[in-house]
Amino acid sequence: MKNELFKPEGLKTENPRRQFLKMSGLTVAGAGLLLMGCNDEDRMPNMGGKVSLGSGDTGILNYAYALEQLEAAFYAQVMMGSFFANASAEEKIIFGDLEKHERAHREFFKVALGANAIGDLEVDFSSIDFSNRNSVLAAAKTFEDLGVAAYNGAGQFLESADLLLIAGKIVSVEARHAAAIRDLINPNSVDFAGDDLIDANGLERTLNFQQVLTAASAFVKTEIDFSQLPR
């Protein structure tokens, strides 16, 4: 029997962007299974508006947690009110999916880190016009592309094979987010894997800790000390 997923008529039942975002949600759910039995302890508060990510795998997890806090806060803001002007039904559904995924990622790291987790970051989205579609999509593109490049750059430093596996699952979801946003900006184009992301060897862009946190600092008021992360 042929696989039903590959029947041409089957692809017409739901928008492909919506379909792959729903499927990528399975990765989020699967990642959460590794946390069964973990205690969700209180996080360390931010001291004086500054946080230290720490060192080793804990530092890298806090690094990812900081980025997921930023993304989750952004999509929560998008979901508030009535979206940007003239948002389509499809766009509202997609942004709803993205908000759920980023919130799941944020909570995953919060639980995994327990008492070692940094506190809540203070974000600043004043440069984003949430009533304007172009402004919202441009910001979403920035956050998703940055997130993928950050995971790609940080994965090599993880010592735990289990954590590396989870990071690989999460970055695959983030890449699907980035592709969906790019398709909303420029439908039916090759922008989902543009030359600004993929090099001539077919490898995706990576960014180091300093590059990522410098870019993120435009939207985060909390000072982040990453000096103990690998170099």
Side-chain angles (χ1 to χ4, degrees):
M1 181 180 295
K2 293 183 179 180
N3 191 325
E4 294 294 320
L5 290 177
F6 292 97
K7 283 189 175 182
E9 62 269 26
L11 296 178
K12 299 178 182 179
T13 60
E14 191 169 18
N15 183 285
R17 282 187 300 235
R18 168 65 170 158
Q19 194 170 50
F20 83 27
L21 287 175
K22 285 179 66 178
M23 291 301 295
S24 66
L26 298 177
T27 298
V28 177
L33 293 178
L34 292 187
L35 295 180
M36 295 179 66
C38 294
N39 294 320
D40 184 6
E41 303 177 45
D42 292 336
R43 289 171 294 166
M44 296 181 295
N46 294 342
M47 302 301 293
K50 181 177 181 178
V51 296
S52 175
L53 300 181
S55 61
D57 282 1
T58 294
I60 295 173
L61 290 189
N62 266 321
Y63 170 69
Y65 180 42
L67 295 175
E68 297 297 351
Q69 282 195 48
L70 177 61
E71 289 185 288
F74 167 72
Y75 286 111
Q77 184 70 31
V78 172
M79 297 290 291
M80 292 178 62
S82 56
F83 287 84
F84 46 81
N86 301 316
S88 68
E90 179 194 3
E91 288 170 338
K92 291 180 179 180
I93 291 173
I94 287 175
F95 273 101
D97 284 343
L98 298 185
E99 189 277 332
K100 291 183 181 71
H101 291 180
E102 301 300 359
R103 181 155 38 92
H105 292 173
R106 181 194 66 197
E107 293 307 301
F108 170 85
F109 286 111
K110 174 183 175 180
V111 174
L113 284 158
N116 292 317
I118 59 173
D120 294 336
L121 300 180
E122 183 179 0
V123 297
D124 178 9
F125 297 135
S126 58
S127 62
I128 303 170
D129 181 357
F130 285 91
S131 67
N132 181 277
R133 180 180 187 272
N134 290 338
S135 181
V136 170
L137 288 178
K141 176 183 173 183
T142 296
F143 292 139
E144 297 298 350
D145 287 353
L146 188 65
V148 174
Y151 277 100
N152 287 343
Q156 62 185 307
F157 298 110
L158 284 169
E159 297 179 3
S160 166
D162 290 336
L163 292 178
L164 182 59
L165 174 62
I166 288 298
K169 290 183 176 183
I170 293 178
V171 74
S172 72
V173 177
E174 298 289 353
R176 285 164 171 79
H177 292 179
I181 292 297
R182 282 168 169 261
D183 194 54
L184 287 177
I185 294 173
N186 192 7
N188 303 316
S189 71
V190 298
D191 285 1
F192 69 92
D195 292 341
D196 58 327
L197 293 178
I198 310 298
D199 66 21
N201 297 315
L203 299 177
E204 195 165 14
R205 180 181 65 158
T206 66
L207 293 176
N208 62 39
F209 300 115
Q210 182 170 358
Q211 290 172 318
V212 170
L213 292 175
T214 297
S217 66
F219 306 96
V220 179
K221 288 186 176 182
T222 308
E223 183 180 354
I224 299 176
D225 176 9
F226 62 96
S227 61
Q228 298 180 64
L229 293 183
R231 296 184 181 277

